[in-house]
Amino acid sequence: MGDGREGHEYPDPDDAPRFAWAGAKGLITSFEGTDDYMNDLDVVTPDEFVPHDDSQNGRLFLNLDRRRDPTGETIDPDFQYQDDSDKSDDDELISEADSDFEAPTPTVDFDGPSNSTKGGRGSRGRGRGRGRGRGRGRGRGGGGPGHDSGTPRQRGRPKGQGRGGKGIKRGIRKPFEPSPEFKSLHSQATLAFIEEDYDAAEELAKQAIQCNPEIFPAYSLLSEIHMARGDRSRAMHALFNGAHTRPRDTVLWSKVAKLIMEIAGEDRTSAYPDAIYCYNRVIGSESGHVEARYERAALHREFGNEKRAAYDYVRLLRLLPHDTTVLRNLAEVYIELGEGARAMDYYEASIAHFQSLQQSNITVFTWSDLNIYAELFMYSTEPGEIAKGISKVKNVCRWLLNRGEDQFWDHYTHDDREFDAMDDPRRQLVPEFVSDKHDSFSYGDGLPLELRARLGLLRLELGEDHFEEALRHFEWLAPENTGPGGKVHDYPDLFAESAEALRLCGLPHEALRFYEPLQQMEEYANLSFFRDMGSCYHALELYDEAEDCFRVVIENGEDNVGILLKLATMFENADMPVRAEPYVEKIIALKRRRTLQKRVAIPRGPADTSTELREPSTSTAKQAMLDPMAGRKPDTRPRTLRRLREAEHEEKIQLLYRELLILRQQIEDGESEARAEWMGLAKTLIDEFKKKKTFYPAGVERHRKYTGYPTKFKVRYDGEGTDTVTGRLQELLDDVQEEINYTAVEYCKIAFNHWLDIFLEYAVVLAIGGEKLQSYEIIIFATETKVFHDSKDFMFLIHITWSICALAADDDETLCGVARYFMKEYQFVTDSYRLFSVLNRLCNRQNVWYNNGPTQKYLLRQVKAVDFSLMTEERRKTFYEERASYSTKDAAGNPIHAEEMDIVLLMTYGHILFTGGSHAFALNYFYRAYALDSTNPMINLSLALGYLHVAIKRQSGNRQYMIMQGFSYLFAYYDLRKRSKFSIERQECEFNVGRAYHMLGLTHLATPYYERCLDLSEEVQREGGQGAVEDYSTEAAFSLQGHWVASGEVELAQKITARWLVL
């Protein structure tokens, strides 16, 4: 071919690369549809792509985004998934694709799957391809390469030079002209495809891609070729790879995203991250792309990422203000998150907007929207919010019924008479009411049944005084009419909600009026339905009906012991022992069967797993299973080998623990050789503890509060009290009560706090020995232990120990993570912020996590939370979008609000900004602290250093003013410290002032302060005693030494060195 590639084996361009966001299985499995980009040769410029020749492997691949930052950044989970409502337009999630961040482009390897995406910052940060401007070029004239040094220097950037760097023009790139070789290969491939010679067409298309891999039509043609063959997977791979040549083609990326989910079929979970990636590319190019946001929000919601879905819906409301479809979706998401109050605010804003318009122009806000708005009040936890909600719902109902001007109804909050069917008797009692002003449809007849039922449910929430009004609403459902025209056929959901609410309010008779019609609705007549209806019959002492309902549950349920026990108790309390007898026998038989199965390890057959009630078999084997104690005297020995093994295991653990305590005492006495043996015993005990599965529950149990691990049923056969139904029933009740209430405070007769000591001591020893990861693993196991996790005191000790291990390992990342735990669990507590600073100060390595992006944003949210909690209620409504979540709750579960501004929090955040180079922004928070405590030396010193650092920056506008302002605060700090009775504080201020002059180059003014600092050294040493003393004499001597050497005073420098710097 004349290009040095004769005999080269072309790799397969159809094998999709593996991307970090796509998992181990790659991206796409199949393809469907066609492409309209075949003849479109609009391409991007070649500088976007960097061909790389891997001569060792004999293959050519492309790095499609060479400008991305090769350093990674750890994702911050607290910031990434934290409540997004406290972000303004200028402070959004860094990982959000709405920013000018361009999603990282993968490395395409035509020889097969490649490694994960190279370079880039993952999902956070901003790619280097679209970074912010770096300021001016060289000097004031921007004289880079090619700059004529003879021309006068100009201010600002040269004409035509963009902000992104020297000579780089921003905007739409000029299309890149394909090479003649590409045109020839592409034309031949197209002709072969038309002639249905797919093998030749595929080979030519691959060669075209090799020639110009940055041009999309070749990928499109290759995709069409595979599609014609029926190979949908390879077709999608080719199309997806080609899409990266058009990173801002929103139509193409949207199409690929939809195809991914269409082809996924039932395996939608694996396709979910791939589709999200495509929609991120769309939104990254066009943040106002409504369809992409809709689709992305729907996918997030489908796969359980409700917070991200809510974020997209909030952004959609900014693009489509007061759109009712978006409002409905947002409300449903917030209900799933348990934050219905937030959706309520959006609804109220939209309702106010619609009510401000002409009634004839309102077509989008319907009764369905109002029903959702009314439902939101059911999730309210604020006192009095439901009563306010009823008034608001009635106001909107009145507006939708064209009676918006009748505001006098707002004064009648104790009932809903305005929606009665007739004017008489209650509406006529209202003086302002005019009967012929509106027709009857504008009152009771016009109110939909859904809204009536909702008002009834809200009335039930208000308490017993409003039950009568609630029943008035429920009567509109006409529960007695169960015929073909009955409302139960059209509104079964309203019947179910009403019945459930009435039952929970203690109105079983009224609840049965709505339960009974639902029996003919198959989708509602499930086991829970019959259980609840049976409870209502039981409460009304209708035992026959209750028994019928409970027997339905017994015959179809999985675990019928509870229902059997309820039936036996019901008949026993009703003085019907004959009817209770069969159920007591069934309970005893079922429990004996379970005990015997566990004892002899008999495999359970179909008959054993059945939950139907059967009479015992007459065969000897069956009878032995049902009554293993028949014909034998009561036996008081342990019933199973399991209990013997448990006793032996418990004794073994106690023996090991006693040996551990002896070894610990030997270590404290200085016997170092006992440490290794102690480590071995501690590891053995920890491994045994981790084998207890009760401490590490799975599934839903992980999220339930620990209440102890119960003992097994202990069925006794001592013959006492079992001669009557009452005696046996009481025995069963005692067993169940014992299982429910038994809460363990120890394991193997070792208290849980002692077990925790073993975990933590072992972790500390590992960390001191340099085994950081093993130490963290032990601590993580402790945090995942249910009994430790649900105890605030235990978790406090665990995280304190974790910080000790991190300090021993100089692990700044873990230190910040542990400190954030304390700031989260003890929010608005000053010591938690002090602990954050102390832990970072004690780290012996350069701490890059102290002022990194996630930490900075977390502290900012803490400041916002304090500000929001100190606002008045009116101000909170104004700044609702700027609020932050409260992470600490009291014993009643209510969030704890800040009572006053925390100076330490302001200074901590200010110092984070300061160490990050944002000195001007740090001054804002230093000033807020200064307003609260103007005599604090640290605040004055921080203000002084902030101004001085701003002054020495190149962009400083008025350097003289900044220096004078800084020194005014510096001398205020100096005066405060000079009055201290401690010599170390007086020495500190001398050194700091001298260092400030030294930083500005005024060494002649710094020298007297350095010398006074040296003079105070002996006094500091006397005050410090024998321990370590923080003495600034060494730093001052070193600064003086450099000053005298630079001034030519070598002798003075030698004297300083000999006196202060020689050990």
Side-chain angles (χ1 to χ4, degrees), residues 17 83 105 353 437 569 756 770 870 891 924:
D83 182 6
T105 309
H353 167 73
K437 183 177 181 180
T569 307
L756 182 60
L870 296 179
N924 296 327

mmCIF file with all atom_site columns, all heavy atoms in Angstrom, residues 17 83 105 353 437 569 756 770 870 891 924:
data_model
loop_
_atom_site.group_PDB
_atom_site.id
_atom_site.type_symbol
_atom_site.label_atom_id
_atom_site.label_alt_id
_atom_site.label_comp_id
_atom_site.label_asym_id
_atom_site.label_entity_id
_atom_site.label_seq_id
_atom_site.pdbx_PDB_ins_code
_atom_site.Cartn_x
_atom_site.Cartn_y
_atom_site.Cartn_z
_atom_site.occupancy
_atom_site.B_iso_or_equiv
_atom_site.pdbx_formal_charge
_atom_site.auth_seq_id
_atom_site.auth_comp_id
_atom_site.auth_asym_id
_atom_site.auth_atom_id
_atom_site.pdbx_PDB_model_num
ATOM 1  N N   . PRO A 1 17  ? -13.939 -1.784  23.543 1.00 0.00 ? 17  PRO A N   1
ATOM 2  C CA  . PRO A 1 17  ? -13.003 -1.663  24.661 1.00 0.00 ? 17  PRO A CA  1
ATOM 3  C C   . PRO A 1 17  ? -13.746 -1.744  25.983 1.00 0.00 ? 17  PRO A C   1
ATOM 4  O O   . PRO A 1 17  ? -14.948 -1.515  26.045 1.00 0.00 ? 17  PRO A O   1
ATOM 5  C CB  . PRO A 1 17  ? -12.393 -0.278  24.460 1.00 0.00 ? 17  PRO A CB  1
ATOM 6  C CG  . PRO A 1 17  ? -13.449 0.481   23.739 1.00 0.00 ? 17  PRO A CG  1
ATOM 7  C CD  . PRO A 1 17  ? -14.150 -0.499  22.853 1.00 0.00 ? 17  PRO A CD  1
ATOM 8  N N   . ASP A 1 83  ? -27.397 15.683  49.989 1.00 0.00 ? 83  ASP A N   1
ATOM 9  C CA  . ASP A 1 83  ? -28.545 16.456  49.569 1.00 0.00 ? 83  ASP A CA  1
ATOM 10 C C   . ASP A 1 83  ? -28.109 17.573  48.640 1.00 0.00 ? 83  ASP A C   1
ATOM 11 O O   . ASP A 1 83  ? -27.307 18.415  48.982 1.00 0.00 ? 83  ASP A O   1
ATOM 12 C CB  . ASP A 1 83  ? -29.202 17.034  50.828 1.00 0.00 ? 83  ASP A CB  1
ATOM 13 C CG  . ASP A 1 83  ? -30.430 17.819  50.520 1.00 0.00 ? 83  ASP A CG  1
ATOM 14 O OD1 . ASP A 1 83  ? -30.817 17.806  49.349 1.00 0.00 ? 83  ASP A OD1 1
ATOM 15 O OD2 . ASP A 1 83  ? -30.982 18.413  51.447 1.00 0.00 ? 83  ASP A OD2 1
ATOM 16 N N   . THR A 1 105 ? -13.068 10.188  27.246 1.00 0.00 ? 105 THR A N   1
ATOM 17 C CA  . THR A 1 105 ? -13.182 9.358   26.063 1.00 0.00 ? 105 THR A CA  1
ATOM 18 C C   . THR A 1 105 ? -12.280 8.151   26.207 1.00 0.00 ? 105 THR A C   1
ATOM 19 O O   . THR A 1 105 ? -11.134 8.270   26.600 1.00 0.00 ? 105 THR A O   1
ATOM 20 C CB  . THR A 1 105 ? -12.762 10.166  24.820 1.00 0.00 ? 105 THR A CB  1
ATOM 21 O OG1 . THR A 1 105 ? -13.488 11.386  24.829 1.00 0.00 ? 105 THR A OG1 1
ATOM 22 C CG2 . THR A 1 105 ? -13.047 9.378   23.556 1.00 0.00 ? 105 THR A CG2 1
ATOM 23 N N   . HIS A 1 353 ? -48.405 30.220  41.107 1.00 0.00 ? 353 HIS A N   1
ATOM 24 C CA  . HIS A 1 353 ? -48.242 30.730  39.746 1.00 0.00 ? 353 HIS A CA  1
ATOM 25 C C   . HIS A 1 353 ? -49.517 30.545  38.934 1.00 0.00 ? 353 HIS A C   1
ATOM 26 O O   . HIS A 1 353 ? -49.982 31.485  38.261 1.00 0.00 ? 353 HIS A O   1
ATOM 27 C CB  . HIS A 1 353 ? -47.085 30.003  39.071 1.00 0.00 ? 353 HIS A CB  1
ATOM 28 C CG  . HIS A 1 353 ? -47.022 30.210  37.586 1.00 0.00 ? 353 HIS A CG  1
ATOM 29 N ND1 . HIS A 1 353 ? -46.613 31.394  37.003 1.00 0.00 ? 353 HIS A ND1 1
ATOM 30 C CD2 . HIS A 1 353 ? -47.353 29.370  36.547 1.00 0.00 ? 353 HIS A CD2 1
ATOM 31 C CE1 . HIS A 1 353 ? -46.675 31.283  35.692 1.00 0.00 ? 353 HIS A CE1 1
ATOM 32 N NE2 . HIS A 1 353 ? -47.116 30.077  35.387 1.00 0.00 ? 353 HIS A NE2 1
ATOM 33 N N   . LYS A 1 437 ? -75.569 31.699  44.051 1.00 0.00 ? 437 LYS A N   1
ATOM 34 C CA  . LYS A 1 437 ? -74.421 32.317  43.378 1.00 0.00 ? 437 LYS A CA  1
ATOM 35 C C   . LYS A 1 437 ? -73.709 31.318  42.466 1.00 0.00 ? 437 LYS A C   1
ATOM 36 O O   . LYS A 1 437 ? -73.240 31.669  41.389 1.00 0.00 ? 437 LYS A O   1
ATOM 37 C CB  . LYS A 1 437 ? -73.450 32.857  44.424 1.00 0.00 ? 437 LYS A CB  1
ATOM 38 C CG  . LYS A 1 437 ? -72.252 33.592  43.826 1.00 0.00 ? 437 LYS A CG  1
ATOM 39 C CD  . LYS A 1 437 ? -71.354 34.178  44.904 1.00 0.00 ? 437 LYS A CD  1
ATOM 40 C CE  . LYS A 1 437 ? -70.175 34.925  44.297 1.00 0.00 ? 437 LYS A CE  1
ATOM 41 N NZ  . LYS A 1 437 ? -69.301 35.495  45.359 1.00 0.00 ? 437 LYS A NZ  1
ATOM 42 N N   . THR A 1 569 ? -55.562 -17.946 71.487 1.00 0.00 ? 569 THR A N   1
ATOM 43 C CA  . THR A 1 569 ? -55.756 -16.938 72.531 1.00 0.00 ? 569 THR A CA  1
ATOM 44 C C   . THR A 1 569 ? -57.164 -16.339 72.450 1.00 0.00 ? 569 THR A C   1
ATOM 45 O O   . THR A 1 569 ? -57.793 -16.068 73.483 1.00 0.00 ? 569 THR A O   1
ATOM 46 C CB  . THR A 1 569 ? -54.701 -15.838 72.381 1.00 0.00 ? 569 THR A CB  1
ATOM 47 O OG1 . THR A 1 569 ? -53.399 -16.411 72.345 1.00 0.00 ? 569 THR A OG1 1
ATOM 48 C CG2 . THR A 1 569 ? -54.780 -14.859 73.535 1.00 0.00 ? 569 THR A CG2 1
ATOM 49 N N   . LEU A 1 756 ? -15.142 -5.601  72.231 1.00 0.00 ? 756 LEU A N   1
ATOM 50 C CA  . LEU A 1 756 ? -14.694 -4.437  71.469 1.00 0.00 ? 756 LEU A CA  1
ATOM 51 C C   . LEU A 1 756 ? -13.260 -4.060  71.831 1.00 0.00 ? 756 LEU A C   1
ATOM 52 O O   . LEU A 1 756 ? -12.474 -3.670  70.961 1.00 0.00 ? 756 LEU A O   1
ATOM 53 C CB  . LEU A 1 756 ? -15.640 -3.252  71.724 1.00 0.00 ? 756 LEU A CB  1
ATOM 54 C CG  . LEU A 1 756 ? -15.324 -1.974  70.965 1.00 0.00 ? 756 LEU A CG  1
ATOM 55 C CD1 . LEU A 1 756 ? -15.374 -2.210  69.458 1.00 0.00 ? 756 LEU A CD1 1
ATOM 56 C CD2 . LEU A 1 756 ? -16.287 -0.859  71.357 1.00 0.00 ? 756 LEU A CD2 1
ATOM 57 N N   . GLY A 1 770 ? 3.075   -1.399  61.479 1.00 0.00 ? 770 GLY A N   1
ATOM 58 C CA  . GLY A 1 770 ? 3.184   -1.092  60.061 1.00 0.00 ? 770 GLY A CA  1
ATOM 59 C C   . GLY A 1 770 ? 2.197   -1.823  59.175 1.00 0.00 ? 770 GLY A C   1
ATOM 60 O O   . GLY A 1 770 ? 2.218   -1.658  57.955 1.00 0.00 ? 770 GLY A O   1
ATOM 61 N N   . LEU A 1 870 ? -30.043 29.239  61.817 1.00 0.00 ? 870 LEU A N   1
ATOM 62 C CA  . LEU A 1 870 ? -30.146 30.479  62.593 1.00 0.00 ? 870 LEU A CA  1
ATOM 63 C C   . LEU A 1 870 ? -31.041 31.511  61.939 1.00 0.00 ? 870 LEU A C   1
ATOM 64 O O   . LEU A 1 870 ? -31.271 32.580  62.511 1.00 0.00 ? 870 LEU A O   1
ATOM 65 C CB  . LEU A 1 870 ? -28.736 31.068  62.794 1.00 0.00 ? 870 LEU A CB  1
ATOM 66 C CG  . LEU A 1 870 ? -27.765 30.222  63.625 1.00 0.00 ? 870 LEU A CG  1
ATOM 67 C CD1 . LEU A 1 870 ? -26.418 30.910  63.716 1.00 0.00 ? 870 LEU A CD1 1
ATOM 68 C CD2 . LEU A 1 870 ? -28.328 29.953  65.017 1.00 0.00 ? 870 LEU A CD2 1
ATOM 69 N N   . ALA A 1 891 ? -33.004 12.277  70.899 1.00 0.00 ? 891 ALA A N   1
ATOM 70 C CA  . ALA A 1 891 ? -33.551 10.972  71.261 1.00 0.00 ? 891 ALA A CA  1
ATOM 71 C C   . ALA A 1 891 ? -34.893 10.702  70.603 1.00 0.00 ? 891 ALA A C   1
ATOM 72 O O   . ALA A 1 891 ? -35.248 9.552   70.332 1.00 0.00 ? 891 ALA A O   1
ATOM 73 C CB  . ALA A 1 891 ? -33.678 10.874  72.790 1.00 0.00 ? 891 ALA A CB  1
ATOM 74 N N   . ASN A 1 924 ? -13.263 36.437  54.134 1.00 0.00 ? 924 ASN A N   1
ATOM 75 C CA  . ASN A 1 924 ? -14.696 36.583  54.428 1.00 0.00 ? 924 ASN A CA  1
ATOM 76 C C   . ASN A 1 924 ? -15.060 35.844  55.708 1.00 0.00 ? 924 ASN A C   1
ATOM 77 O O   . ASN A 1 924 ? -15.808 36.362  56.557 1.00 0.00 ? 924 ASN A O   1
ATOM 78 C CB  . ASN A 1 924 ? -15.522 36.040  53.258 1.00 0.00 ? 924 ASN A CB  1
ATOM 79 C CG  . ASN A 1 924 ? -15.314 36.838  51.996 1.00 0.00 ? 924 ASN A CG  1
ATOM 80 O OD1 . ASN A 1 924 ? -15.108 38.041  52.049 1.00 0.00 ? 924 ASN A OD1 1
ATOM 81 N ND2 . ASN A 1 924 ? -15.368 36.173  50.858 1.00 0.00 ? 924 ASN A ND2 1
#
